[in-house]
Amino acid sequence: DQQVKQNSPSLSVQEGRISILNCDYTNSMFDYFLWYKKYPAEGPTFLISISSIKDKNEDGRFTVFLNKSAKHLSLHIVPSQPGDSAVYFCAASAMKTSYDKVIFGPGTSLSVIP
Amino acid sequence: DADVTQTPRNRITKTGKRIMLECSQTKGHDRMYWYRQDPGLGLRLIYYSFDVKDINKGEISDGYSVSRQAQAKFSLSLESAIPNQTALYFCATSPPGNYGYTFGSGTRLTVV
């Protein structure tokens, strides 16, 4: 059973509009969340993260929102650009435990249409 | 040079063969990881190592083994490859307490 879920395998958005990528998790021990971006033929690259003590974190065009009660987080990209077209992985970790590893979701493929 | 280098980039092998995937990193981090990516399943952890003497199984370690030859080198072996091990394999490294992993470019393995 997947502990980190990304229920939309793909998403298409017009250039300049907002992209919203969603992620749900089941393990209440998760307290640190990350988004990674992956282009074809490359490894994933770290994009943005958020601790469970916050409900929002911004970095330029990228904002991650965390709703702990709903066990849900989302990544907003505003405005979307064609270079944002990639697969986005949501990931989670339980930093307070000794397990200390990251669980990844299945990914959402974002296409930004010029 | 890339921070994390994986070799080979692509490999086709036959069922039952032993194969080794190699990873080296120049970040100077103690922590290294092996993940595999399958469509619809994302990245799943195979093995991880927090230092040269510390190696741990991940969620899908069956059929795999690893060797941490040095701080910078972490290799993954398939002792007897089977077709359902066909996947994209990623090596990664990170500093302690930081989950901003640096990944290699991946090895695409096909077992026929």
Side-chain angles (χ1 to χ4, degrees):
Chain A
D1 187 32
Q2 288 187 337
Q3 298 185 64
V4 179
K5 303 177 183 181
Q6 294 176 259
N7 293 322
S8 297
S10 62
L11 176 67
S12 290
V13 173
Q14 287 290 130
E15 180 179 4
R17 306 295 291 266
I18 184 171
S19 294
I20 300 176
L21 293 89
N22 293 304
C23 177
D24 298 289
Y25 60 96
T26 58
N27 189 341
S28 59
M29 296 297 292
F30 288 148
D31 54 11
Y32 194 74
F33 305 90
L34 310 94
W35 286 93
Y36 282 80
K37 176 179 180 179
K38 183 185 178 305
Y39 292 118
E42 295 182 12
T45 56
F46 170 70
L47 187 59
I48 192 169
S49 63
I50 187 168
S51 166
S52 60
I53 62 174
K54 295 185 176 181
D55 54 19
K56 177 182 175 182
N57 189 26
E58 283 184 84
D59 184 0
R61 296 185 297 112
F62 302 91
T63 302
V64 56
F65 295 92
L66 175 63
N67 182 333
K68 292 185 290 294
S69 61
K71 294 192 178 67
H72 176 83
L73 62 155
S74 60
L75 175 68
H76 293 211
I77 306 173
V78 184
S80 300
Q81 299 174 353
D84 296 329
S85 297
V87 176
Y88 290 78
F89 292 102
C90 174
S93 182
M95 292 186 73
K96 295 177 183 175
T97 70
S98 61
Y99 208 31
D100 201 12
K101 66 177 177 64
V102 177
I103 306 294
F104 286 82
T108 295
S109 179
L110 174 66
S111 297
V112 180
I113 304 164
Chain B
D1 287 344
D3 292 328
V4 180
T5 301
Q6 293 184 234
T7 56
R9 289 297 308 271
N10 292 281
R11 179 73 181 267
I12 300 174
T13 192
K14 293 184 177 181
T15 298
K17 292 291 188 180
R18 184 179 190 276
I19 183 170
M20 179 181 289
L21 309 183
E22 299 191 15
C23 176
S24 62
Q25 53 102 353
T26 58
K27 300 286 284 184
H29 297 328
D30 287 325
R31 297 187 173 192
M32 297 187 74
Y33 311 82
W34 275 104
Y35 282 87
R36 70 177 270 179
Q37 183 190 0
D38 298 277
L41 295 177
L43 294 157
R44 292 182 293 165
L45 184 62
I46 306 172
Y47 270 95
Y48 61 107
S49 172
F50 284 173
D51 64 43
V52 176
K53 296 181 181 180
D54 178 68
I55 293 179
N56 304 280
K57 293 182 177 180
E59 55 188 309
I60 53 164
S61 60
D62 287 349
Y64 301 95
S65 62
V66 291
S67 174
R68 185 80 185 267
Q69 300 94 329
Q71 184 200 42
K73 295 183 182 295
F74 192 35
S75 60
L76 176 72
S77 294
L78 286 68
E79 298 301 325
S80 179
I82 56 177
N84 75 1
Q85 291 177 312
T86 293
L88 190 52
Y89 289 84
F90 289 103
C91 175
T93 187
S94 75
N98 183 333
Y99 300 100
Y101 292 178
T102 301
F103 281 88
S105 297
T107 294
R108 183 168 295 280
L109 177 66
T110 303
V111 183
V112 298

